[in-house]
């Protein structure tokens, strides 16, 4: 994992794109350097205000991923982002007009509210800043007050009110359109009813981008993070429970297979000869109904558990892939360092091998008498 510098962060933000890999990779890097959360969030806010409208949503998806996936590590990012998000949503509301952008941001706010990322009052404040609900109401009432005091209503106040109503109506349509998209896929929502660590609606929302990809300006669809990955012990427990599920209950399945045909064939009723046999058949039918109802309920519970397990496996696999990518990146870095060290070692060996052998040098003293020692010099002076 590379060291953190503000210039490195700015470079990574400039290279950020809408793909899941790009957002997750940068998110993990930011979470790793969470001790610099104040500088990171301030830089993120500054860069978001300077990027074009099409990239502002990508910045918000990055913040969404960091906020949600850093909760296990600590609350630093959630608190720090809460300090700048009011200004960010107000900035987007002022500068962006895309219904698609507004709808996507509304979806993020819904997920934050459903997952308890921020409280309902905070979410409502973000939403009002995004759609200028409070700002649009103030000028209208001000104009109305001025009109009442002067005895008439100005045309400027009327036009502002109409503009506010028009914008609010457009926002409501966008929200309804997003809601209708969810309602048009009931089977998808039902399959995601019981995800781990999250509410049902939040998990369904998080799973939909991967399940129903759409083209967006030639790029992959914007990414919303998966649920929090499970712990290995939790995953093992869920797998063990599935092994003991209803579909594996051979005894009950054998009892159902051995039910007499008379209880399911209406034609057998005409063959009843007396009241006692009818009572016996009625008792068998009631017992079979109870058995089947109980087994069907167990199968329904098993389907929910399997759906939950599938979500857990998906999230666990995504986490392991990211950890593997990080490990491979570190391995590449260590390999480069090793190659560099081996190269230096070879250079040193080559240098040593080229040094002359002092034992092979000729005798340069030429048989001259040795130089006097310090003691000899001292005695000579005396």
């Amino acid at each position: 994992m590379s060291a953190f510098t503000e210039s490195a962060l700015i470079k990574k933000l400039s290279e950020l794109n809408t793909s899941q890999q790009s957002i997750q990779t940068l998110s993990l890097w930011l979470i790793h350097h969470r001790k610099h959360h104040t500088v990171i969030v301030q830089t993120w806010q500054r860069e978001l205000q300077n990027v074009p409208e099409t990239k502002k949503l990508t910045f918000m998806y990055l913040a969404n991923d960091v906020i949600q996936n850093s909760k296990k590590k600590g609350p630093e990012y959630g608190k720090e982002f809460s300090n700048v998000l009011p200004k960010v949503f107000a900035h987007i509301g002022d500068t962006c007009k895309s219904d698609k952008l507004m709808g996507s941001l509304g979806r993020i706010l819904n997920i934050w509210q459903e997952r308890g990322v921020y409280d309902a009052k905070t979410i409502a404040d973000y939403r009002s800043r995004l759609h200028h609900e409070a700002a649009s109401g103030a000028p209208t009432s001000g104009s109305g007050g001025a009109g009442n005091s002067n005895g008439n209503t100005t045309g400027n106040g009327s036009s502002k009110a109409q503009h506010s109503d028009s914008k609010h109506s457009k926002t409501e349509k966008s929200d309804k359109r997003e809601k209708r998209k969810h309602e048009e896929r009931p089977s998808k929502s039902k399959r995601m009813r019981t995800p781990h660590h999250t509410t049902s609606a939040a998990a369904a929302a998080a799973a939909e981008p991967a399940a129903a990809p759409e083209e967006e300006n030639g790029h992959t669809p914007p990414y919303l993070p998966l649920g929090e990955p499970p712990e290995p012990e939790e995953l093992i427990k869920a797998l063990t429970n599935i092994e003991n599920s209803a579909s594996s209950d051979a005894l009950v399945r054998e009892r159902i297979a051995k039910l007499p045909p008379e209880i399911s064939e209406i034609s057998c009723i005409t063959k009843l000869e007396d009241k006692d046999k009818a009572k016996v058949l009625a008792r068998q039918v009631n017992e079979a109904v109870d058995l089947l109802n109980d087994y069907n309920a167990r199968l329904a519970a098993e389907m929910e558990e399997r759906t939950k397990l599938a979500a857990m496996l998906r999230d666990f696999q995504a986490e392991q892939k990211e950890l593997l990518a990080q490990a491979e990146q570190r391995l590449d870095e260590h390999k480069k360092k090793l190659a560099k060290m081996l190269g230096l070692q070879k250079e040193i060996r080559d240098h040593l091998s080229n040094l002359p052998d002092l034992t092979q040098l000729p005798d340069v003293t030429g048989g001259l008498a040795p130089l006097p020692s310090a003691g000899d010099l001292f005695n000579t002076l005396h």
Side-chain angles (χ1 to χ4, degrees):
M1 188 74 66
S2 58
F4 173 81
T5 61
E6 187 173 349
S7 59
L9 172 60
I10 294 174
K11 183 176 184 295
K12 289 178 181 292
L13 288 173
S14 66
E15 297 171 350
L16 182 67
N17 59 59
T18 59
S19 68
Q20 174 178 337
Q21 181 180 2
S22 177
I23 294 173
Q24 279 190 334
T25 301
L26 182 51
S27 173
L28 288 169
W29 188 79
L30 296 179
I31 294 173
H32 177 76
H33 294 291
R34 61 187 179 279
K35 65 180 180 180
H36 304 286
H37 60 276
T38 302
V39 176
I40 288 173
V41 173
Q42 291 175 353
T43 305
W44 171 87
Q45 179 192 8
R46 185 176 66 251
E47 294 301 311
L48 180 142
Q49 293 176 344
N50 296 327
V51 297
E53 178 176 335
T54 54
K55 197 170 182 179
K56 292 184 189 295
L57 181 60
T58 308
F59 272 58
M60 291 302 299
Y61 280 124
L62 174 65
N64 180 31
D65 195 284
V66 172
I67 292 170
Q68 294 198 59
N69 291 326
S70 65
K71 288 191 296 183
K72 282 187 175 181
K73 307 281 186 180
E76 299 96 339
Y77 275 116
K79 292 180 180 178
E80 194 65 36
F81 271 106
S82 67
N83 296 331
V84 303
L85 283 174
K87 296 180 180 178
V88 168
F89 279 111
H91 163 75
I92 294 176
D94 287 335
T95 60
C96 302
K97 307 300 180 185
S98 169
D99 288 344
K100 188 170 185 179
L101 172 62
M102 296 300 176
S104 298
L105 292 178
R107 185 180 177 193
I108 291 177
L109 291 174
N110 291 337
I111 292 176
W112 285 357
Q113 184 169 353
E114 290 164 354
R115 295 186 179 183
V117 176
Y118 295 112
D119 56 57
K121 184 178 179 181
T122 303
I123 298 296
D125 177 60
Y126 294 163
R127 203 182 301 275
S128 66
R129 291 174 183 272
L130 180 64
H131 301 310
H132 295 284
E133 293 173 355
S136 63
T140 305
S141 60
S143 300
N148 292 336
S149 62
N150 296 329
N152 59 358
T153 304
T154 63
N156 185 32
S158 176
S159 62
K160 286 184 178 179
Q162 291 176 359
H163 175 73
S164 172
D165 293 341
S166 175
K167 189 168 185 179
H168 187 67
S169 175
K170 183 182 291 186
T171 302
E172 288 182 349
K173 289 180 180 179
S174 177
D175 292 340
K176 288 181 180 179
R177 189 159 54 244
E178 288 295 322
K179 184 177 180 182
R180 192 159 56 246
K181 286 181 181 179
H182 294 295
E183 293 175 351
E184 288 173 356
R185 290 191 283 266
S187 60
K188 177 65 66 177
S189 299
K190 290 180 180 178
R191 285 201 298 271
M192 299 301 296
R193 280 296 167 90
T194 56
H196 64 292
H197 300 305
T198 61
T199 61
S200 57
E208 281 177 7
E214 299 175 356
E215 288 291 328
E216 182 173 326
N217 300 327
H219 298 286
T220 55
Y223 167 71
L224 280 178
L226 304 174
E228 293 184 1
E231 298 294 334
E233 296 79 6
E234 184 182 0
L235 187 59
I236 293 172
K237 183 179 179 181
L239 289 169
T240 303
N241 292 337
I242 289 296
E243 292 179 357
N244 302 322
S245 57
S247 59
S248 303
D249 193 342
L251 295 178
V252 175
R253 294 170 66 89
E254 185 178 357
R255 285 180 60 190
I256 294 175
K258 289 182 178 181
L259 290 174
E262 293 82 4
I263 65 174
S264 58
E265 296 180 8
I266 300 179
S267 59
C268 295
I269 297 178
T270 59
K271 299 179 182 179
L272 294 176
E273 298 176 355
D274 51 36
K275 185 177 180 180
D276 293 336
K277 291 185 177 180
K279 289 182 177 180
V280 172
L281 180 60
R283 186 176 66 254
Q284 291 177 339
V285 170
N286 290 334
E287 292 175 352
V289 168
D290 292 339
L291 176 64
L292 292 173
N293 285 340
D294 179 68
Y295 189 64
N296 286 337
R298 291 175 60 194
L299 288 175
E302 179 185 346
M303 289 300 298
E304 293 181 355
E305 289 297 322
R306 289 185 179 276
T307 301
K308 178 180 178 180
L309 178 60
M312 293 171 69
L313 289 170
R314 177 203 64 195
D315 298 341
F316 187 78
Q317 183 184 29
E319 183 192 37
Q320 295 305 311
K321 285 183 178 179
E322 291 302 326
L323 293 175
L324 176 61
Q326 292 183 37
E328 290 177 345
Q329 183 179 359
R330 289 195 299 269
L331 178 61
D332 290 339
E333 292 175 356
H334 288 308
K335 284 182 177 179
K336 291 178 181 178
K337 291 180 180 178
L338 177 61
K340 185 177 180 180
M341 185 183 68
L342 292 175
L344 292 174
Q345 188 178 31
K346 183 177 182 300
E347 290 180 8
I348 293 173
R349 288 178 178 174
D350 293 341
H351 181 69
L352 291 175
S353 64
N354 292 328
L355 290 176
D357 188 356
L358 298 179
T359 59
Q360 303 297 324
L361 291 176
D363 185 9
V364 296
T365 61
L368 297 175
L371 294 174
S373 64
D376 295 336
L377 293 174
F378 184 78
N379 292 332
T380 302
L381 292 175
H382 282 76

